[in-house]
Amino acid sequence: MQPAAFGATVVTAHPAKVAAFYAEHFDLDITVDLGWFVCLRRGDASWELAICERGHSSVPAAVSATTESSNVFGFVVDDADKLAARLTEAGVELASEVVTEPWGQRHFFVRDPEGTWLDVIQLVAPDPEWLAANTPT
């Protein structure tokens, strides 16, 4: 069976603040806002990002008890440098510099207000030497 859609959820004590971060910096639209639950999506994307209040009855107690995020959400963007500059100008601290990887990514890490790790990725051409050394013949 194939899933009909995909979504990820950030569990937080501050749903409105976290949702505002994604709306402002990643151009996501709020499609549902119940206060304790906020859903965001970009256009007609087949995925969504949910923000749910920690401690809500719909969240397992073990999840609500966890306050340190080790999840990494990847966002593919057109221009990593431009978004990094916009975030920095808005007072958001980047967790890494923008770097170009030989496998074809220019990216950086940042954390949302809840501490969820975000890998912001721009696809670029891979380094030909790296590609030759790492592509099966």
Side-chain angles (χ1 to χ4, degrees), residues 10-97:
V10 175
V11 177
T12 178
H14 309 285
K17 179 180 179 182
V18 174
F21 173 86
Y22 287 99
E24 177 182 352
H25 301 298
F26 289 89
D27 299 322
L28 301 184
D29 298 315
I30 294 174
T31 58
V32 174
D33 187 347
L34 303 176
W36 61 271
F37 178 83
V38 182
C39 192
L40 300 106
R41 183 179 294 234
R42 183 156 191 195
D44 61 352
S46 61
W47 57 271
E48 64 186 13
L49 179 63
I51 314 297
C52 191
E53 187 171 47
R54 178 173 280 110
H56 189 270
S57 61
S58 66
V59 178
V63 173
S64 285
T66 303
T67 58
E68 181 66 27
S69 175
S70 62
N71 295 320
V72 179
F73 295 164
F75 282 94
V76 177
V77 301
D78 292 331
D79 189 331
D81 293 285
K82 185 177 179 180
L83 183 52
R86 265 187 32 208
L87 288 164
T88 302
E89 289 169 10
V92 177
E93 183 178 344
L94 302 184
S96 75
E97 297 292 322

